[in-house]
Amino acid sequence: MNNGANNTVTAEKKKKVLSLIQPTAVPHIGNYLGALKNWTQMAKDYDCVFGVADLHALTVRPDPALLRRQSLETFALLIAIGLSPEENIVCVQSRINTHAQLAWILNCYTQFGEASRMTQFKDKAANQADNINVGLFTYPILMAADILIYQADYVPIGEDQKQHLEIARDIAERFNGLYGKTFTLPEPFIGKVGARVMSLQDPTKKMSKSDPNPKSSVSVLDSPDTIMKKFKSAVTDSEAEVRYAPGKEGVNNLMSIYSGCTGMNFEQIENAFAGKGYGDFKTAVAEAVIEELKPFQQRFKELMDDKVYLNECIDKGTEAATAISRRTLDKVIKKIGLL
Ligand code: TYM
């Protein structure tokens, strides 16, 4: 992570961080290693806003009862992994009215052509040809509003969100150029390992919540048994050598997951498994993942049994996030000439 030249903050002021996650399914280990784990690290050193992007989830027209349940579960999970609603802001996007307001304004400062270049829009449009709604198209602009409204310096994300970060910066730069410095230019924070965890069944594709094959991904709430089974059936290659190399996407992916959980680098992993087969390695990866997830699976269960506390936390996050984001929105409103 480096300090952008435009991000002039005084020494005593902590840098600001924002990131959200969609509640479209239980997060998988890609979400965890690519984003959530970094959130818990950053929460210690920065002023953070983390939350559930339920407005973004509407682009796939989820079942209302399911959306409600998964939004609460995702929120609980954020607390279960160690994000403290006391020390940071943990919130639900739709509860903070300012995001959607700023998103509309930013729509008017985004060119159709630049939004059309978003590869995720093209992919998603291809996957849901019967529902290519306008929300799917303007999705990155709402995401830009999420980020810019908190003047975020850093945005911890997986690699798949990098292009969305770039458009957020472009919009911010354009707006700043027209009206003077209004938004901080955000920088992506993408971890060295786990930034692109691949499907266990097709390691040329990223692990995705929308993959219909349940064996392709490991959810952070999967039982130890299920986790073991899924890793045992992970696609590798016929070489039977634990080595990070081009063409060995399945093994490379397992090594990245193992590295993300244990902190070992690829060389250390190769040495530790020299002469051993894929069976041993897959078992070790599954065990490392089970160990990593165990502490917060228990906490998650406890939290889901205490809805009163969860709702108090959501209200607290709403109040704090609204107050901070309102400042940016007021500034924008004034600059562009709204009454
Ligand atoms: P979402 O919900 O798809 O994913 C949440 C986070 O997980 C990362 N991620 C991955 N990382 C590694 N390997 C994978 N296979 C993998 N799949 C997903 C994502 O990069 C993301 O960081 N649009 C966002 C949510 C959002 C947001 C924002 C993020 C809304 N507003 C503002 C940052 C800032 C999304 O759909 O993430």
Side-chain angles (χ1 to χ4, degrees), residues 18-24 28-36 39 51-53 56 93 99 120 124 139 142-147 155-162 164-165 194-199 205-209:
L18 170 123
S19 204
L20 305 182
I21 180 167
Q22 286 198 72
T24 38
H28 50 62
I29 50 164
N31 300 127
Y32 176 72
L33 294 174
L36 302 180
W39 297 9
V52 179
H56 279 102
Q93 182 192 34
H99 290 220
Q120 209 166 76
K124 287 191 176 175
Y139 179 113
L142 176 58
M143 186 165 156
D146 297 334
I147 298 166
V155 184
I157 43 171
E159 223 164 72
D160 63 325
Q161 296 297 322
K162 207 170 151 203
H164 291 162
L165 227 284
R196 192 171 175 80
V197 174
M198 309 307 276
S199 155
K205 276 189 349 201
K206 78 165 182 174
M207 188 176 282
S208 160
K209 288 184 207 139

Side-chain angles (χ1 to χ4, degrees), residues 1 16 44 61 71 75 82 126-127 136 141 144 179 189-190 197 200 218-219 256-257 306 311-312 315 319 323 325 338:
M1 194 188 303
K16 297 191 181 76
K44 296 175 192 145
R61 201 176 301 155
S71 296
F75 185 84
N127 282 340
L136 207 57
I141 304 159
Y179 301 103
F189 176 82
I190 298 178
V197 174
L200 297 184
V218 168
S219 129
S256 299
I257 294 170
D306 194 350
N311 281 309
E312 274 171 20
D315 288 345
E319 204 181 311
S325 59
L338 298 176

